[in-house]
């Protein structure tokens, strides 16, 4: 069912106007680490390339054109961490992370065809996510701890924002493209202070510049493409390919401190730059989906280019002394959907994620990470008639469990502040931990 033209424009306009406001923080990596919506979480992202809901704006914009219906979705995700390290002498035994990452997400998909005079149907979708109910829009933590371990990928997920369009190119063939938005924040501080810490004549300038990173995808329904006039083996076969370019958010602070009578102009320069907390690798995904009737099988292979992070860390003044090395990784994902009836569908999936961190020793930074097994389970319920609602409503819940393998690391630290200072061994640790992800969503189809 199509919304009237004026209604669609009114529905889309607030989202377009709000976009510059929503983009005032670094984008997190919820979609890469766990999945955006319950179907993505439950299938371990095995079906994400084929999902026709608003998460297609991130995973595969071409899938926006598969279902012509509009959609408004609200979702909540909670990731509970229990990440530990253990050492033979028990000096570093203990929990590294035991907190939670919570996100609220909203997404919208609509048909823009009526805004054009001619051409194929055009669909627009966007998603935005806010960490801790919007109370931690710019939250991140970057440190060189020196005598303690810190996990590489698990942590806070600041603002997430993506917008995409999709269209049908030919029978059974759809294409799409979109943008992810991150920020580069630069702050300049000039301060006059005395030895007692009292300041005077301060000057502070802050500038944030958006950074746009492309993503694109293609979806092929082989039944519509190759078996247009007669039934054949490809009737229920679908394939998809997507690419997401790398992205990073940078926060830079340039400061000059002047102490009258001790340090004159231009003062003591202090430069801090941080990039790694929001780094997202370039990702290429290829998937196959086959519908057997009540049961649907999905298989996806995902290639993530983490090696680029080594050059990015050269510009990170906090972690550059870690001398970290990374490798590109391949992640296999397998999912299964079972339609119990016309209302309820069960989704499950598994994946194996290799750690991109090659270094077992990173002085002062002391990053640890490990391979992990991922398993998910979810339930979808679609109700065509809901009291007080003019359109169908879909409810989804999902759960995902991530188990980290054991891996040995050497904690180390430098003996002085200079890059060439000797490195001392602080002891050995072994990773251990798990992550539990709970999510739910409500969707209105129109």
């Amino acid at each position: 069912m199509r919304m009237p033209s004026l209604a669609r424009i009114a529905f889309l306009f607030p989202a377009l106007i709000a976009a510059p406001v929503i983009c005032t923080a670094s984008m997190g990596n919820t979609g890469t680490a766990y999945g955006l919506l319950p179907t993505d979480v439950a299938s371990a992202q095995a079906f994400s390339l084929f999902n026709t809901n608003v998460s297609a704006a991130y995973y595969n914009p071409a899938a926006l054109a598969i279902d012509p219906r509009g959609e408004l979705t609200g979702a909540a995700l909670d990731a509970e961490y229990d990440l530990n390290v253990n050492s033979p002498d028990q000096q570093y035994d203990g929990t590294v992370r035991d907190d939670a990452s919570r996100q609220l997400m909203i997404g919208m998909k609509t048909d823009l065809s009526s805004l054009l005079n001619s051409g194929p149907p055009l669909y627009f979708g966007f998603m935005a996510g806010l960490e801790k109910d919007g109370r931690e829009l710019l939250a991140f933590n970057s440190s060189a701890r020196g005598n303690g371990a810190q996990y590489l990928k698990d942590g806070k997920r600041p603002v997430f924002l993506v917008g995409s369009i999709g269209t049908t190119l030919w029978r059974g063939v759809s294409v799409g493209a979109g943008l992810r938005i991150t920020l580069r924040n630069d702050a300049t501080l000039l301060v006059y202070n005395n030895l007692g810490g009292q300041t005077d004549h301060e000057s502070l300038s802050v500038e944030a510049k958006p950074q746009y990173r492309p993503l694109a995808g293609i979806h092929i329904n082989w039944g519509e493409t190759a078996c247009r006039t007669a039934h054949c083996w490809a009737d229920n076969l679908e394939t998809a390919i997507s690419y997401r370019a790398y992205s990073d958010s940078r926060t830079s602070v340039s400061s000059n401190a002047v102490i009258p009578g001790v340090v004159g102009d231009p003062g003591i320069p202090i430069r801090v730059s941080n990039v790694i907390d929001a780094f997202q690798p370039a990702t290429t995904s290829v998937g196959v989906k086959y519908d057997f009737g009540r049961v649907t099988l999905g298989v996806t292979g995902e290639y993530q280019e983490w090696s680029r992070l080594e050059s990015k860390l050269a510009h990170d003044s906090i972690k550059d002394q870690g001398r970290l090395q990374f490798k590109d990784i391949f992640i296999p994902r397998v999912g299964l959907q079972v339609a119990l009836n016309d209302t309820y569908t069960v989704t499950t999936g598994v994946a194996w994620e290799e750690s991109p961190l090659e270094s077992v020793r990173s002085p002062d930074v002391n990053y640890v990470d490990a391979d992990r097994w991922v398993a998910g389970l979810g339930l979808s319920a679609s109700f065509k008639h809901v009291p007080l609602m003019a359109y169908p409503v879909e409810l989804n819940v999902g759960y995902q469990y991530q188990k980290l393998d054991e891996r040995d690391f050497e904690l180390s630290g430098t003996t002085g502040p200079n890059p060439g200072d000797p490195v001392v061994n602080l002891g050995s640790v072994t990773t251990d931990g798990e992550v539990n992800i709970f999510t739910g969503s409500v969707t209105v189809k129109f």
Side-chain angles (χ1 to χ4, degrees):
M1 182 180 295
R2 288 193 173 188
M3 297 179 67
S5 299
L6 290 178
R8 280 208 300 275
I9 296 173
F11 190 64
L12 176 61
F13 185 74
L16 296 177
I17 295 298
V21 179
I22 297 173
C23 297
T24 55
S26 302
M27 185 176 69
N29 61 348
T30 303
T32 303
Y34 313 129
L36 290 176
L37 296 181
T39 49
D40 305 310
V41 173
S43 69
Q45 302 179 50
F47 284 110
S48 295
L49 289 180
F50 305 96
N51 284 346
T52 60
N53 54 36
V54 292
S55 69
Y58 177 72
Y59 293 109
N60 184 9
L64 293 170
I66 298 176
D67 187 346
R69 293 178 297 175
E71 178 179 321
L72 178 63
T73 297
L77 182 145
D78 184 287
E80 305 284 346
Y81 305 108
D82 183 15
L83 305 176
N84 313 292
V85 294
N86 304 292
S87 57
D89 57 5
Q90 300 183 343
Q91 180 180 358
Y92 297 103
D93 283 7
T95 301
V96 177
R97 294 195 67 92
D98 61 356
D99 57 354
S101 174
R102 298 183 178 90
Q103 274 209 348
L104 292 180
M105 284 172 280
I106 185 170
M108 185 271 294
K109 170 188 168 184
T110 190
D111 185 354
L112 300 181
S113 301
S114 64
L115 302 180
L116 306 175
N117 291 326
S118 62
L122 186 66
Y123 302 91
F124 170 77
F126 92 97
M127 285 203 73
L130 303 176
E131 174 76 10
K132 292 290 180 69
D133 308 330
R135 291 173 292 176
E136 296 187 357
L137 296 179
L138 285 168
F140 67 88
N141 178 30
S142 184
S143 63
R145 301 189 178 185
N147 60 350
Q150 54 183 330
Y151 274 84
L152 174 68
K153 294 185 293 184
D154 301 278
K156 298 182 182 298
R157 313 289 182 220
V159 164
F160 174 92
L161 181 65
V162 62
S164 300
I165 58 173
T167 187
T168 301
L169 190 65
W170 192 55
R171 65 189 195 197
V173 180
S174 59
V175 295
L179 294 173
R180 290 184 291 171
I181 301 177
T182 61
L183 281 188
R184 296 209 166 182
N185 310 301
D186 296 288
T188 302
L189 173 65
L190 176 62
V191 59
Y192 291 81
N193 66 293
N194 58 30
L195 295 178
Q198 296 176 327
T199 63
D200 192 13
H201 304 298
E202 301 93 339
S203 175
L204 176 63
S205 175
V206 180
E207 184 180 43
K209 298 178 182 178
Q211 181 186 25
Y212 304 95
R213 307 305 299 175
L215 53 93
I218 182 172
H219 175 274
I220 302 175
N221 184 320
W222 291 100
E224 295 183 18
T225 302
C227 312
R228 187 73 172 182
T229 59
H231 292 293
C232 68
W233 64 272
D235 274 340
N236 301 320
L237 177 65
E238 299 176 36
T239 58
I241 302 174
S242 76
Y243 174 78
R244 302 192 298 269
Y246 88 93
S247 69
D248 60 0
S249 291
R250 185 189 68 197
T251 298
S252 300
V253 179
S254 299
S255 176
N256 287 75
V258 177
I259 305 176
V262 179
V263 178
D265 285 326
I268 301 174
I270 301 173
R271 304 289 184 268
V272 178
S273 180
N274 177 71
V275 296
I276 191 174
D277 291 81
F279 178 82
Q280 290 287 277
T283 302
T284 303
S285 301
V286 179
V288 178
K289 174 185 172 184
Y290 196 86
D291 188 351
F292 294 92
R294 290 283 184 180
V295 178
T296 302
L297 175 67
V299 179
T300 296
E302 189 172 290
Y303 181 75
Q304 297 183 355
E305 300 177 35
W306 282 89
S307 55
R308 181 188 293 266
L309 185 53
E310 292 183 22
S311 61
K312 290 293 178 181
L313 281 176
H315 304 287
D316 190 317
S317 60
I318 298 175
K319 301 187 176 72
D320 56 348
Q321 69 269 29
R323 307 164 197 170
L324 290 157
Q325 293 181 324
F326 298 87
K327 63 180 178 181
D328 300 337
I329 61 173
F330 176 79
I331 302 175
R333 307 181 187 275
V334 180
L336 200 68
Q337 286 184 334
V338 180
L340 303 180
N341 49 44
D342 293 338
T343 301
Y344 297 99
T345 300
V346 174
T347 301
T348 186
V350 294
W352 182 75
E353 299 183 6
E354 186 180 7
S355 170
L357 179 62
E358 283 196 299
S359 305
V360 296
R361 188 170 73 160
S362 52
D364 291 328
V365 179
N366 288 325
Y367 264 133
V368 298
D369 193 39
D371 302 341
R372 61 185 70 193
W373 287 96
V374 180
L377 181 66
L379 178 67
S380 300
S382 180
F383 303 100
K384 296 181 179 179
H385 304 288
V386 178
L388 304 179
M389 297 297 296
Y391 301 100
V393 176
E394 186 176 288
L395 303 178
N396 292 274
V397 292
Y399 168 75
Q400 187 180 107
Y401 176 76
Q402 297 190 0
K403 175 61 178 177
L404 275 69
D405 290 343
E406 293 186 353
R407 183 180 174 187
D408 296 329
F409 286 87
E410 295 289 334
L411 300 187
S412 58
T414 54
T415 57
N418 301 314
D421 290 330
V423 175
V424 294
N425 186 22
L426 301 175
S428 302
V429 296
T430 302
T431 59
D432 176 38
E434 61 185 26
V435 184
N436 293 275
I437 300 97
F438 306 87
T439 180
S441 69
V442 179
T443 299
V444 178
K445 302 277 190 177
F446 51 84

